[in-house]
Structures are given as C-alpha cells and as structure tokens.
C-alpha cells in the first residue's frame, strides 16, 4: 500500500475510532446518570485555569467542541448554574465563562466514570510505547493542522497540547 493510501486508511480508522469511543464514553456517563462528555470537557477546561475562568476564544482552543456549539453549551451550563459569565473588566462587550462550585463538584463526580472508560476502552489495549507513539503522531498532526488553520485566516490562535502530562484528569 502506498504511503498516501496508508495515511488515508489511518484517517478513516482514526475517525471511526474517535466516534465509537466518544459514543462509548457518553453511554457510560449516561448509565451513571451523568451529563454528556461535552459538559466534562468544558468544565475541565475552566477548572484548569488558575482563576477558574476563561474567555470564549480560550475555551475554543481547549475543548472538543465547535465554536458554534461552544456558546450554546456555555448557555446550557450557565442555566443549570455550573458556570457563570463574568464581564471582562478590560472589554465592555467581552465576558469570561467561570466555573462555579457546583460545576467543580459535578466535574469531579464525572471523572471516575470517564477515567475508567479511558482505561478500559483505550489504555488497556496499548503498550506504553504504543501510547507514546500515538500521542507523538497526533501532536505532530495537530500542530500542523492548527498552524494551517491559523494561517488560513480563521481568526483564532490555536494552542497546542502539552508535550506530556494528562490534560484530562485532576
């Protein structure tokens, strides 16, 4: 198989694996009576900030959400008091999304279910070398894609994941 064919096959497997794994995580969260993964993702992005708050463009760089869905998700979480909007002091039109105590509590409650799903559905099937190789390859691809995204005039700075460490737990 030519390199191009191999890369296209890997792409198809990656997309399928992502969709199936996210669906399986969602099913486990639902079975535990917990909200969907996107809630965890957004709450964790906020909780990782020193002051528990981030501007919307910062959140967009950190979550597995499209920009259009992000605003609606923040609205939903604000409605159930897991986050609140705080006006930006330096920009009258801008605001921060800030995690509440209830949001922190829910995120901590979701983590054990999510962590177990990661371990059983993903980690248990990879050696350390496999996991390091997958992470290295995906970081490389992510960096290129984010650089291309920024130079294509999409208007947003895209941050990169840390070279090591877990951005999920806490």
């Amino acid at each position: 198989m030519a390199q191009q064919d191999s890369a296209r096959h890997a792409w198809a497997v990656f997309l399928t694996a992502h969709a199936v794994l996210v669906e399986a995580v969602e099913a486990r969260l639902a079975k535990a009576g917990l909200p969907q993964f996107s809630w965890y993702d957004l709450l964790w992005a906020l909780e990782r900030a020193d002051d528990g708050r981030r501007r919307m463009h910062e959140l967009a760089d950190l979550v597995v959400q499209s920009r259009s869905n992000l605003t609606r998700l923040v609205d939903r979480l604000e409605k159930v008091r897991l986050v609140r909007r705080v006006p930006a002091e330096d920009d009258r039109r801008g605001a921060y999304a800030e995690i509440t105590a209830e949001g922190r509590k829910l995120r901590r409650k979701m983590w054990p279910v999510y962590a177990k799903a990661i371990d059983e559905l993903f980690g248990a099937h990879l050696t350390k070398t496999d996991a390091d190789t997958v992470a290295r390859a995906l970081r490389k691809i992510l960096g290129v894609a984010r650089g291309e995204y920024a130079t294509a005039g999409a208007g947003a700075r895209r941050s990169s994941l840390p070279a090591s460490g877990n951005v999920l737990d806490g």
Side-chain angles (χ1 to χ4, degrees):
M1 189 183 293
Q3 190 277 338
Q4 188 177 37
D5 291 340
S6 292
R8 289 177 180 168
H9 176 73
W11 172 255
V13 172
F14 165 75
L15 287 179
T16 302
H18 176 268
V20 170
L21 290 169
V22 169
E23 190 174 304
V25 168
E26 295 271 0
R28 288 177 180 216
L29 290 168
K31 185 176 179 181
L34 296 167
Q36 58 195 3
F37 168 73
S38 60
W39 289 35
Y40 179 92
D41 190 34
L42 185 123
L43 292 171
W44 183 228
L46 290 173
E47 195 170 341
R48 288 194 325 257
D50 291 336
D51 57 0
R53 66 170 63 168
R54 295 187 190 269
R55 297 290 292 257
M56 293 299 280
H57 72 274
E58 290 177 287
L59 278 175
D61 288 346
L62 298 171
V63 299
V64 186
Q65 284 287 309
S66 69
R67 289 179 183 273
S68 59
N69 289 335
L70 180 61
T71 299
R72 288 190 293 274
L73 179 58
V74 170
D75 290 343
R76 283 194 306 272
L77 295 183
E78 185 176 32
K79 203 175 273 190
V80 294
R81 297 191 167 110
L82 299 174
V83 303
R84 66 179 149 259
R85 281 195 171 81
V86 178
E89 296 169 5
D90 59 341
D91 177 3
R92 290 192 302 181
R93 293 180 299 153
Y96 290 89
E98 180 178 71
I99 192 169
T100 64
E102 294 84 8
R104 289 176 192 275
K105 183 177 175 185
L106 177 63
R107 206 276 316 154
R108 284 191 303 270
K109 185 176 179 184
M110 293 176 78
W111 172 242
V113 175
Y114 183 32
K116 186 175 180 184
I118 294 168
D119 294 344
E120 291 176 359
L121 298 168
F122 189 77
H125 309 286
L126 300 172
T127 65
K128 181 180 181 329
T129 301
D130 290 340
D132 291 345
T133 300
V134 168
R136 186 174 40 258
L138 291 175
R139 271 195 306 274
K140 179 179 173 182
I141 292 164
L142 184 59
V144 170
R146 284 185 167 164
E148 208 170 277
Y149 178 82
T151 59
R157 172 193 56 78
R158 304 298 289 183
S159 66
S160 61
L161 293 173
S164 64
N166 190 336
V167 297
L168 299 174
D169 64 354

